[in-house]
Amino acid sequence: MAHPRKALRTTTIGTVSAALAAGTALSLAPTALATPAARPAAQPTGAVAAADVRFVDITGDGGTVLKANVFTPGGAQAGDRHPVIVLPTSWAMPQIEYIAQAKKLADQGYVVVSYNSRGFWQSGGEIEVAGPPDIADASKVIDWALANTPADPDKVGMAGVSYGAGIGLLAAAHDKRIKAVVAMSGWADLVDSIYSGRTQHVQAAGLLTGAGFLTGRPSAELQQIMKDFLSSNLDKEQDMIDWGAKRSPTTYLDSINRNGTAVMLGNAWGDTIFPPNQYASFYEKLKGPKRLEFRPGDHATAEATGLLGLPNDVWTNSQRWFDHHLKGEDNGIDREQPVQLKSRSTGGYEGYPDWKSVGADARKIELGSTRKIWANVDSGANGGVTILSNALDQFLKLPPMAYVPLLPRSFAAVWQSERYSSAQRVRGTTKLHTTVTSTKASGTLVAYLYDVGPLGLGKLVSNAPYTFHGQTPGQPFGVDLELFSTAYDVPAGHRLALVIDTVDPLYIEHNPTGAQLTFSSPAADPSYVSVPLREE
């Protein structure tokens, strides 16, 4: 189906793609400088031998050549066996991405094989988006490591950031040799990641698509899928969903549970490519050893300093996870609370026994009075810019903001809570329930939760989009929407505000020209927003 804003979309995609290209070039420079020499200099007497690194070609599925580097613990002797960790690269990143962490792991006694995912940079093949060839590649790399390094076949792990995280989880479902996985800033449900609320996440999809063309060779299937996705071709919607499900670890959850893989998941609250909700849902369904960590930031920003070899909590805990589950070390990670959260406000860690214990004290804000808004106009409330806005929140505590009293009520529906006498520690997933009446059969709404200070300045706590099709104009229908999970402290003296409008640069909207949306609260089915709070 055609959309009147194709030109705007094209501009947006080009902009974010160019931004990614510039960011990739800048981030690679210090990493490349940190690359160790192929053969370290001789160590002084009594010193621990440095890890050995080789750059190799590995034959992947169908004969595809995968460019790789291999770190072996220094001083390894014939007959030695060491746990092995396989690291597939992130989307659009070259094979040196993990070199700083690979060396650290090798210095601790691991064989580490990092390879460039097929279709990117010098590796052969085409970009399959974690399709069957990518999963087969992971097993081929393990085969190679067992045949060509002192790797222990009973102690195999996989780890990765973003694309590498998804491939690692999928490989664990298909290869029983993988005993432990660390998946950082990845996805469990690809559809729910970039099509949540039946809404295309245009900046995320545009960034990934642009980066794929800049650094690799997208397959014909991928090109068609993204063309249909970005052009809102509803005739192909089920095909796109099926394509995404095939590449989603949650589809193979039973296999992961059956294999008993030890799974550690880490993500950022503000990840605009793979939002945290889908990871939390997947975590709850895992049956084996598991750990879930959420921190402030956006996509891969929580792990970024570790890729440069700097101190980093995510990578530190990743090694602890492997030390326990591959080496058998009693380092206490199995006795810690398995759900570890860092608040966007305080920066301190909080432990929980499971995800459902997060935000167990939910409070409702009633949305009692009717609001009517015009569609097609950005009210000024929005979720910011992918990567940039939540990185600013992570490092400077500057989330997207809006001056709530001045939001135009013709284009934004606004409800506010009372002023709170004590701090409200929002933890988990805020849920919206309301009744909508549209003048058109299709439409998009975006809900925002703001922390509003005494002067009316609102700081974004969370947001989420919702799109509908095939509704009868003038006929009310119910909407249930989960906002993206978060951890945020609302100070005493502040309010919470729910704002709903119809346009956000993060998402493709489906509002026909002249559409109006009415939000009501029938007596038999009251509207509300349920805010999860930490139990005190």
Side-chain angles (χ1 to χ4, degrees), residues 208-225:
L208 293 172
T209 303
F213 276 101
L214 286 169
T215 62
R217 299 165 299 282
S219 67
E221 181 185 33
L222 172 58
Q223 293 183 51
Q224 186 61 51
I225 285 288

Side-chain angles (χ1 to χ4, degrees), residues 324-410:
H324 180 73
H325 291 286
L326 296 184
K327 289 184 176 180
E329 291 186 6
D330 183 14
N331 56 16
I333 197 167
D334 58 318
R335 295 187 294 276
E336 296 173 0
Q337 295 276 39
V339 176
Q340 294 286 322
L341 312 181
K342 179 182 278 191
S343 169
R344 292 164 50 199
S345 304
T346 64
Y349 282 99
E350 303 167 359
Y352 298 85
D354 48 40
W355 177 250
K356 64 178 178 288
S357 298
V358 177
D361 185 18
R363 305 284 178 85
K364 287 184 178 180
I365 300 173
E366 302 295 337
L367 310 179
S369 52
T370 298
R371 303 281 194 276
K372 180 181 291 187
I373 61 174
W374 290 93
N376 308 114
V377 176
D378 189 341
S379 69
N382 66 68
V385 177
T386 191
I387 307 298
L388 176 62
S389 296
N390 289 307
L392 288 173
D393 183 39
Q394 175 186 357
F395 295 111
L396 301 177
K397 289 186 169 52
L398 291 175
M401 300 181 192
Y403 190 61
V404 174
L406 292 185
L407 291 176
R409 279 11 183 210
S410 296

